[in-house]
Amino acid sequence: MAYSTISSAGADPPPGGPARPVTVLDFARRKKAGEPIVMITGYDALFASLVDAAGVDAILVGDSVVSVLCGEKTTLSATVDQMIYHGRLVCRGAERALVIVDMPFMSYQVSPEQAVRNGGRILKETGAGAVKLEGGADFAPAVEALTRAGIPVMGHLGFTPQSVHALGGHRVQGRAKGALEKLIRDARALESAGAFSVVLELMPERIAEKVTHVLSIPTIGIGAGSHCSGQVLVLHDMLGMNESFEPRFLKRYAELGAEVRSAVSRYAEEVRTGAYPGPEHVHKS
């Protein structure tokens, strides 16, 4: 599979050859070069192969899988075993993109030792290149322990879905007095602990811009404006498959929900009328 039109995070691929896989070191190079990072959230091999061929830089296997695919109202029920399962699927489909797997609720909060144990399982059993965890300075010891063990870590600040109850629901963060200063302290703590990048979710654009400016590592925005080092969207959301989800930051690049309903409706009608299967779909003796 060639990516001759993609200028990858690193060196250009050899003529006619595949682009080399994206690594965590490429994230830093991208920010230094001012090249935006493209990340998408996905959960299976088929979609991973499609977005990988489309040239995304990274695929996040989000704990949002329990909301998007399983119908849960929050991400809190996700387990390490679930994340390993979906992480393994995505790694089977991705050839070039860096695969990053979420560490689910209560898989790293207890202690740095717990974080290393679970983070190690995730990398070992999926083939992914990194993990992501939520929270700021309080979790810097976990980030440091993970990176010391050779496990690359992406941080996550702003609206952190695993803290949805403590935050009072899905609310824009960073508007309160002193919020910018705390975000900067948290971001710097994650960077000092060894995080290679930080997701900034649901915050005013000017806040995200300032956090991005003070860090040497890249920021990946979702609902955080245009000044982050890159952007991430959930694949099912941007394809219009999750039709009830309509946040301000979301841009739908397709309306596959309507396409799926239309296709299945036509199939059902043809089965009921005898139009399918037709002569061209039948094996002859």
Side-chain angles (χ1 to χ4, degrees):
M1 186 180 297
Y3 298 92
S4 58
T5 62
I6 300 167
S7 72
S8 182
D12 290 333
R20 67 169 177 79
V22 177
T23 73
V24 297
L25 297 180
D26 293 321
F27 272 55
R29 295 188 188 113
R30 280 291 182 91
K31 178 166 184 176
K32 186 175 182 180
E35 299 175 359
I37 298 164
V38 181
M39 188 161 79
I40 202 85
T41 294
Y43 316 110
D44 61 62
L46 177 59
F47 272 125
S49 66
L50 292 172
V51 301
D52 189 74
V56 301
D57 301 305
I59 304 173
L60 173 64
V61 186
D63 57 3
S64 53
V65 63
V66 298
S67 300
V68 176
L69 297 188
C70 304
E72 299 283 357
K73 294 187 182 300
T74 72
T75 65
L76 300 181
S77 67
T79 67
V80 171
D81 286 341
Q82 281 179 305
M83 300 315 302
I84 288 173
Y85 173 76
H86 287 281
R88 188 183 301 125
L89 297 184
V90 169
C91 286
R92 287 175 184 167
E95 295 183 6
R96 173 185 174 272
L98 175 67
V99 177
I100 304 159
V101 180
D102 260 342
M103 297 192 69
F105 183 58
M106 295 310 296
S107 68
Y108 59 91
Q109 288 91 338
V110 175
S111 68
E113 292 75 19
Q114 180 206 32
V116 171
R117 184 166 56 251
N118 287 319
R121 272 198 68 200
I122 289 171
L123 256 61
K124 190 173 183 178
E125 297 181 37
T126 65
V131 299
K132 180 174 76 63
L133 58 76
E134 299 179 7
D138 289 344
F139 299 102
V143 174
E144 185 174 5
L146 284 160
T147 56
R148 192 166 56 243
I151 303 169
V153 180
M154 173 180 280
H156 187 151
L157 296 172
F159 174 71
T160 47
Q162 293 176 15
S163 301
V164 61
H165 296 312
L167 296 173
H170 294 74
R171 303 164 63 90
V172 174
Q173 303 298 303
R175 288 173 170 165
K177 184 177 180 181
L180 172 60
E181 290 74 16
K182 183 178 186 308
L183 277 168
I184 288 175
R185 287 196 302 272
D186 284 338
R188 282 176 166 162
L190 293 174
E191 179 178 37
S192 296
F196 71 91
S197 63
V198 181
V199 170
L200 301 180
E201 181 169 358
L202 276 185
M203 63 181 65
E205 185 174 53
R206 65 178 181 83
I207 298 293
E209 181 180 14
K210 290 179 179 178
V211 174
T212 300
H213 180 73
V214 302
L215 295 179
S216 61
I217 59 175
T219 59
I220 308 296
I222 177 166
S226 61
H227 298 289
C228 295
S229 312
Q231 299 291 328
V232 60
L233 286 176
V234 173
L235 180 65
H236 297 68
D237 297 341
M238 58 94 74
L239 292 180
M241 300 174 74
N242 187 4
E243 294 172 306
S244 63
F245 187 61
E246 299 180 302
R248 180 181 178 88
F249 66 80
L250 175 62
K251 179 176 180 178
R252 289 182 176 168
Y253 288 82
E255 294 293 345
L256 296 194
E259 289 290 327
V260 168
R261 280 196 307 277
S262 176
V264 175
S265 178
R266 294 198 309 273
Y267 163 69
E269 176 67 18
E270 290 191 5
V271 169
R272 290 172 181 140
T273 62
Y276 177 82
E280 67 275 28
H281 306 117
V282 176
H283 297 287
K284 304 298 183 180
S285 59

